[in-house]
Amino acid sequence: MPEINVHQLDFSYGDRNILEDLNFEITSGSFITIIGPNGSGKSTLLKNLSANLIPKRGAVLLDREDIYRINKKTLARQLAVVPQDHSVDFEFSVIEAVLMGRMPHQSRFTGDDERDVAIARWAMELTGTWDLKDRYITTLSGGELQRVVVARALTQEPKVLLLDEPTSHLDIQYQYDLLELLRTLNRTKGLTIVAVLHDLNLAAQFSDQVRLLNRGKIMAYGPPVQVLTLQNIKEVYQIEAVISQNEITGRFNIIPLGKFKNKSGEAKNNRVHLVCGGGKGAFLMDRLYQHGVDVSCGVLNVGDTDWHKARQLGLEVAEEAPFAPVSPKAVEVNRQLIEKSDLIVVLPVPIGNGNLVNLEEVLAAQVNLKKKVVIIEQENIEKRDFTGGTAMQLIAQMIKNGAYIRKNANDLMELVDSENK
């Protein structure tokens, strides 16, 4: 059941439109992240969701009730906000500031009872602020104040927690501590979390759903793996990036590489075929893909790290069953991909009798089809040659036939650029 329903929401400051025709639902008990570049409308959207701003058109429903018609005190019992700007000028102690979160639950002119104090202490211990309770709020650092504001929001005992850049003032350990805490409350207490984040890696790691906002419109929404794609990152943030699997969390990491060079988004003339495996080709696949180059790979065993990366990018791959030697069928698929390529790149992968045919096909294409071949980091091939020297002989013959030698992927990108001039 949707807890928040946004319907045809428009918002503008004067004549400047900030949000345009937004329609989406936030399900009870979900962890939602709103991302997007500066000026995309993220904070404005959060202020509309909390009724701090009134839209030009449309509605925000909280449990099917118009949020703008809900009494402020009643709303505060259901929804708490951690704003981006929370400067304070009054000499409250930390415990006094946190106890303000109990006001929506109190009758007029009544003070804090034992239950109020117990809830405040619970929230402060969760956020690591209990030891600050007697400090004046004006003496806190930005990170300390951020955690106190989160404690105050939790003290409201809300059903929905809205956070605008909650990690912006925090050191890295506190960023993860806070998001881990929010995820734990989300899973154990059913607390609905809606957070605006700049850090795409944090969004990828902690979110159930991501909404990508750009120029006031939702460009993409869904699970992180569906939204935080190379194409979406390129289109919205105008940067190249590499996406790699995080073996510890089971999610993925996003590594920005800078402004992308091929602004047209069209594929360049060169088609590159990679002989890779074991993760040796993942980084290069990302670079070439972002560079607008058509890429193919093979032969890769299903489940291999490079196989996963190629599938993620939608590349053509000659594949074989896990731990199986390369079959004639896979050889034929690989040969067809090689024939379509303009450049063949041999990465420093272990070569045994099971995959030796990959090198044999490259050499045959170099000799018979005059294909250009690049050899990367093959100085210590003897340590990766498990064929009794045959692999080394094939590499040596490629070099003798005029194969390019490159030390790393960046050197290869320079060669790709020169080939496209």
Side-chain angles (χ1 to χ4, degrees):
M1 171 181 169
E3 189 151 2
I4 297 177
N5 192 309
V6 177
H7 180 65
Q8 295 182 336
L9 185 71
D10 290 347
F11 182 86
S12 61
Y13 289 111
D15 295 332
R16 186 163 62 97
N17 292 332
I18 306 298
L19 303 174
E20 297 184 35
D21 196 27
L22 299 189
N23 296 274
F24 62 88
E25 296 176 348
I26 296 175
T27 305
S28 178
S30 57
F31 194 130
I32 306 296
T33 296
I34 301 170
I35 62 171
N38 289 335
S40 59
K42 303 185 299 296
S43 295
T44 300
L45 173 57
L46 213 66
K47 290 176 181 178
N48 275 264
L49 295 181
S50 60
N52 283 325
L53 290 175
I54 299 175
K56 178 180 178 181
R57 181 179 73 101
V60 176
L61 305 181
L62 178 63
D63 283 343
R64 301 180 181 178
E65 188 174 357
D66 190 330
I67 198 169
Y68 308 108
R69 297 180 179 177
I70 300 175
N71 175 275
K72 291 295 184 182
K73 188 172 183 178
T74 301
L75 181 61
R77 289 198 292 267
Q78 302 179 65
L79 185 148
V81 181
V82 176
Q84 189 175 124
D85 179 16
H86 39 251
S87 57
V88 291
D89 299 318
F90 299 101
E91 292 288 339
F92 292 111
S93 69
V94 169
I95 184 64
E96 288 173 332
V98 173
L99 279 166
M100 290 178 185
R102 296 304 301 160
M103 292 176 64
H105 299 274
Q106 297 170 343
S107 301
R108 196 174 183 182
F109 303 123
T110 61
D112 304 312
D113 60 22
E114 291 184 3
R115 184 172 185 276
D116 294 326
V117 174
I119 292 172
R121 178 167 184 164
W122 165 81
M124 294 175 73
E125 288 179 344
L126 283 177
T127 54
T129 56
W130 180 247
D131 61 332
L132 304 174
K133 65 182 183 301
D134 297 321
R135 293 260 305 271
Y136 285 116
I137 197 117
T138 52
T139 68
L140 302 181
S141 68
E144 290 170 336
L145 180 58
Q146 182 81 326
R147 289 184 284 133
V148 168
V149 173
V150 172
R152 184 178 64 191
L154 293 177
T155 301
Q156 287 179 228
E157 294 187 294
K159 295 166 55 182
V160 180
L161 183 59
L162 306 180
L163 306 102
D164 193 357
E165 294 292 343
T167 61
S168 59
H169 300 291
L170 300 179
D171 292 335
I172 188 168
Q173 73 271 27
Y174 287 123
Q175 292 181 15
Y176 278 83
D177 284 348
L178 174 59
L179 290 172
E180 288 283 5
L181 168 61
L182 294 176
R183 185 164 62 179
T184 298
L185 292 173
N186 168 253
R187 292 178 175 178
T188 61
K189 305 291 186 180
L191 180 63
T192 302
I193 306 291
V194 183
V196 168
L197 293 177
H198 269 302
D199 192 318
L200 301 186
N201 284 306
L202 294 179
Q205 183 166 342
F206 290 97
S207 308
D208 297 326
Q209 299 276 319
V210 175
R211 279 169 173 76
L212 175 57
L213 201 64
N214 190 34
R215 298 179 181 177
K217 297 181 179 180
I218 295 177
M219 304 298 294
Y221 64 92
V225 70
Q226 294 180 11
V227 174
L228 296 171
T229 65
L230 295 175
Q231 186 60 41
N232 284 341
I233 292 170
K234 176 191 286 187
E235 181 178 349
V236 173
Y237 291 93
Q238 301 293 297
I239 61 168
E240 292 183 2
V242 169
I243 296 178
S244 61
Q245 190 71 24
N246 189 318
E247 300 297 335
I248 297 175
T249 65
R251 298 216 171 184
F252 56 88
N253 294 326
I254 301 166
I255 306 170
L257 300 175
K259 291 282 187 178
F260 68 85
K261 297 178 181 179
N262 184 26
K263 294 184 179 180
S264 69
E266 297 175 357
K268 297 186 177 182
N269 293 328
N270 271 351
R271 181 183 176 95
V272 177
H273 183 79
L274 303 182
V275 177
C276 53
K280 294 293 185 180
F283 177 81
L284 186 53
M285 287 181 214
D286 271 312
R287 289 300 308 274
L288 291 167
Y289 178 87
Q290 288 286 1
H291 216 60
V293 177
D294 284 335
V295 186
S296 61
C297 307
V299 175
L300 293 172
N301 290 108
V302 173
D304 180 271
T305 301
D306 284 344
W307 178 86
H308 279 294
K309 173 55 65 177
R311 300 283 289 185
Q312 182 186 60
L313 296 176
L315 308 182
E316 288 190 275
V317 182
E319 61 185 35
E320 186 53 82
F323 307 108
V326 179
S327 65
K329 181 179 179 181
V331 169
E332 180 57 31
V333 174
N334 194 42
R335 184 178 297 145
Q336 292 173 6
L337 294 177
I338 287 174
E339 289 175 357
K340 291 193 293 183
S341 69
D342 301 291
L343 197 66
I344 306 169
V345 180
V346 180
L347 287 138
V349 297
I351 302 294
N353 292 322
N355 65 342
L356 182 64
V357 66
N358 285 340
L359 295 186
E360 293 172 343
E361 289 297 322
V362 173
L363 181 58
Q366 184 189 36
V367 172
N368 301 324
L369 303 176
K370 307 304 179 185
K371 296 290 184 180
K372 296 176 182 178
V373 177
V374 179
I375 308 294
I376 294 184
E377 297 183 52
Q378 297 289 348
E379 295 88 355
N380 298 317
I381 187 175
E382 66 276 2
K383 295 182 181 180
R384 298 187 302 277
D385 184 357
F386 300 95
T387 65
T390 304
M392 286 191 294
Q393 293 174 9
L394 292 173
I395 293 291
Q397 188 61 49
M398 292 178 203
I399 295 171
K400 183 178 179 181
N401 292 342
Y404 298 93
I405 307 296
R406 291 292 182 272
K407 291 183 179 180
N408 52 48
N410 289 330
D411 286 347
L412 175 66
M413 296 308 298
E414 292 179 5
L415 175 61
V416 170
D417 278 339
S418 67
E419 292 290 317
N420 276 291
K421 290 180 179 179

